[in-house]
């Protein structure tokens, strides 16, 4: 698959299909692998439910993003960000670990680039702005309302609460890292101050994710943490500048706005995001009050309709359009989701084939006797590779999450932690993948320079190395502490 994607530049769904076909051939050909019919049926059922879980969030999420674009909600958010009275490095850091995570956690699929790329292009030269936009794609374990974390938890048989909380710890060093990197790309004069401010914003996002995951709000943890980071950043940084931040409508008119409303983003943004969060809260309360679950179970995986964020996403889109389904937006959403969903189906099929056929067991057994520290260094590398190959946190988890859980040394106390390392590594490697780079360039349009794809890929590899170092350090500490 790696050769098909990087060498032949084949789409991810073609690579996934080829990988699944090769796995099936090897299971049929080699005697050490076997696939009993009952195991095959169970794996197919589990895989189907996992794809259903993803589709139930992907389709409504992309449809909502189409509605928000048509209603110019993203444009109003762009104008609000541009009007913030902050220094350029601080504004860039706020976009990367505040605005971008909030938008991406709500909608997913790189929709945040529609907001961040135009803003960053207004602040920096195209080559710099596109790199900063890439770094803004950092919230992936909580993107699309925590879809990757929910799917990962299903794959290893744990609760999203446990995997989300562990992932918040394993990812904690990444957010300050990307915030500082993005701010330093502006070449500020006061480098020390820039590093401190950017690291503080990244740390605020890390702490917010940890807190909201621990509270059990895994699905909306990325949205809430991003909003909290944005609010804190605007409050603290703008007050240090001695200026009031204009409200959404006042910023559009070039006025200061009333002090009590100075920190509020535009009303359409608050309405859209508030509706999603409120509807999720209502569904949670109804479920806790005894709302009968509508659930589907197969092969150890389950789909629960009222626990899926898909209903609040779709309901928000319908409420914004006064109950009408917009045909053009629905067709556009279906077209945008088709290829990612086909790729995900292929990666899920490959993961289930490798697990049911014995390949994952063989890989786990091959490294069972390796030193724990060597395993700790290998696990983040495998996770990063899976995110790069699939171009998706969900696809990377579907591919390697069962293996990562088995790699965990010891008596099982590290199983969830190694699953979290996979979740973090795959998620933070997605922006280095070719599909995400091409999407960034497409949003930039004519402002993207010739040859930008290769330079962005090289930049992504440098960042991936830094991400690996942070995750490897975290894995080493986990193994040493457990030992």
């Amino acid at each position: 698959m790696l050769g098909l994607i990087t060498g032949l530049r084949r789409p991810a769904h073609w690579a996934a299909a080829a990988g699944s076909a090769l796995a099936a051939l090897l299971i049929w050909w080699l005697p050490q692998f076997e696939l009993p019919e009952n195991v095959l049926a169970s794996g197919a059922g589990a895989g189907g439910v996992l794809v259903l879980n993803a589709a139930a969030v992907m389709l409504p999420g992309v449809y909502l993003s189409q509605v928000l674009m048509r209603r110019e909600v993203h444009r109003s958010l762009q104008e609000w960000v541009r009007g913030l009275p902050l220094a350029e490095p601080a504004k860039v850091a706020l976009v990367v670990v505040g605005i971008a995570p909030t938008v991406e956690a709500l909608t997913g699929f790189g929709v945040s680039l529609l907001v961040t790329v135009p803003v960053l292009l207004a602040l920096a030269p195209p080559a710099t702005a596109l790199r900063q936009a890439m770094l803004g794609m950092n919230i992936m374990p909580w993107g699309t309302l925590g879809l990757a974390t929910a799917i990962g938890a299903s794959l290893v048989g744990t609760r999203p609460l446990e995997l989300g909380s562990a992932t918040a710890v394993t990812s904690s060093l990444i957010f300050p890292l990307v915030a500082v990197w993005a701010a330093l790309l502006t070449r500020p004069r006061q480098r020390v101050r820039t590093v401190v401010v950017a690291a503080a914003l990244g740390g605020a996002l890390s702490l917010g994710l940890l807190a909201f995951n621990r509270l059990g709000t895994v699905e909306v943890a990325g949205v809430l943490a991003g909003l909290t980071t944005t609010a804190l950043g605007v409050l603290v940084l703008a007050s240090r500048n001695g200026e009031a931040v204009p409200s959404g409508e006042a910023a559009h008119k070039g006025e200061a706005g009333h002090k009590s409303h100075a920190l509020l983003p535009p009303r359409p943004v608050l309405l859209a995001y508030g509706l999603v969060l409120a509807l999720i809260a209502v569904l949670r309360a109804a479920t806790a009050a005894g709302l009968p679950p509508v659930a589907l179970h197969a092969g150890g995986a389950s789909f629960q309709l009222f626990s899926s964020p898909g209903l609040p996403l779709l309901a928000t889109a319908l409420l914004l359009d006064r109950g009408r389904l917009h045909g053009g937006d629905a067709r556009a959403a279906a077209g945008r989701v088709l290829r990612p969903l086909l790729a995900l189906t292929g990666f899920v099929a490959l993961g289930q084939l490798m697990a049911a056929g014995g390949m994952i067991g063989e890989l786990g057994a091959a490294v069972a006797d390796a030193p724990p520290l060597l395993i700790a260094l290998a696990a983040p590398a495998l996770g990063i590779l899976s995110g790069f190959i699939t171009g998706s946190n969900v696809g990377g988890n579907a591919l390697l999450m069962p293996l990562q859980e088995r790699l965990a040394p010891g008596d099982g106390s590290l199983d969830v932690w190694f699953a979290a390392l996979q979740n973090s590594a795959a998620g933070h490697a997605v922006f280095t993948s070719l599909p995400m780079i091409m999407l960034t360039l497409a949003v930039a349009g004519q402002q993207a320079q010739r040859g930008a794809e290769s330079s962005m890929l090289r930049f992504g590899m440098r960042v991936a190395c830094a991400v690996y170092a942070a995750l490897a350090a975290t894995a080493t500490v986990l193994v040493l502490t457990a030992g």
Side-chain angles (χ1 to χ4, degrees), residues 449-456 458:
Q449 299 173 346
R450 181 176 296 180
E453 178 185 341
S454 298
S455 64
M456 290 177 67
R458 290 193 297 270

Side-chain angles (χ1 to χ4, degrees), residues 179-267:
V180 170
W181 202 319
L184 289 178
L185 284 174
T186 64
R187 298 183 178 179
R189 294 181 179 179
Q190 298 178 319
R191 294 177 63 88
V192 174
R193 180 182 178 181
T194 297
V195 169
V196 170
V197 170
L201 288 171
L205 181 61
S206 295
L207 290 174
L209 287 169
L210 182 60
F212 290 120
N213 277 277
R214 289 284 177 86
L215 289 173
T217 57
V218 180
E219 300 91 343
V220 295
V223 180
L224 294 175
L227 287 173
T228 302
T229 302
T230 302
L232 287 174
V234 172
L235 278 168
V236 174
L237 297 175
S239 63
R240 287 177 63 87
N241 289 343
E243 300 183 46
V245 180
S247 67
E249 295 179 3
H252 182 70
K253 297 176 182 178
E255 300 170 357
H258 193 275
K259 188 72 173 179
S260 61
H261 300 287
L263 299 178
L264 291 178
R267 184 178 299 173

Side-chain angles (χ1 to χ4, degrees), residues 117-170:
V117 169
V119 170
L120 294 170
L121 282 171
L123 297 174
T128 300
L130 295 180
R131 285 163 171 76
Q132 291 166 337
M134 285 177 65
L135 293 173
M137 298 292 296
N138 56 57
I139 198 67
M140 287 305 184
W142 295 273
T144 320
L145 294 178
L147 178 60
T149 298
I151 295 295
S154 298
L155 287 166
V156 296
T158 189
R159 295 183 301 161
L161 170 61
E162 294 179 2
L163 183 58
S165 298
T167 304
V169 175
T170 54

Side-chain angles (χ1 to χ4, degrees), residues 20 104 143 152 158 167 172 214 230 253 298 307 318 333 337 389-390 434 437-438 448:
S20 299
E104 195 64 27
T158 189
T167 304
S172 59
R214 289 284 177 86
T230 302
K253 297 176 182 178
S307 297
L318 293 175
V337 166
I389 288 176
T390 62
L434 289 173
I437 289 174
M438 297 308 296

Side-chain angles (χ1 to χ4, degrees), residues 71 315-325:
R71 300 179 69 87
T316 298
L318 293 175
L319 287 171
L320 291 175
D321 276 341
R322 299 181 181 180
R324 295 190 298 269
L325 187 69

Side-chain angles (χ1 to χ4, degrees), residues 216 308 312 343 383 463:
S308 171
V463 179

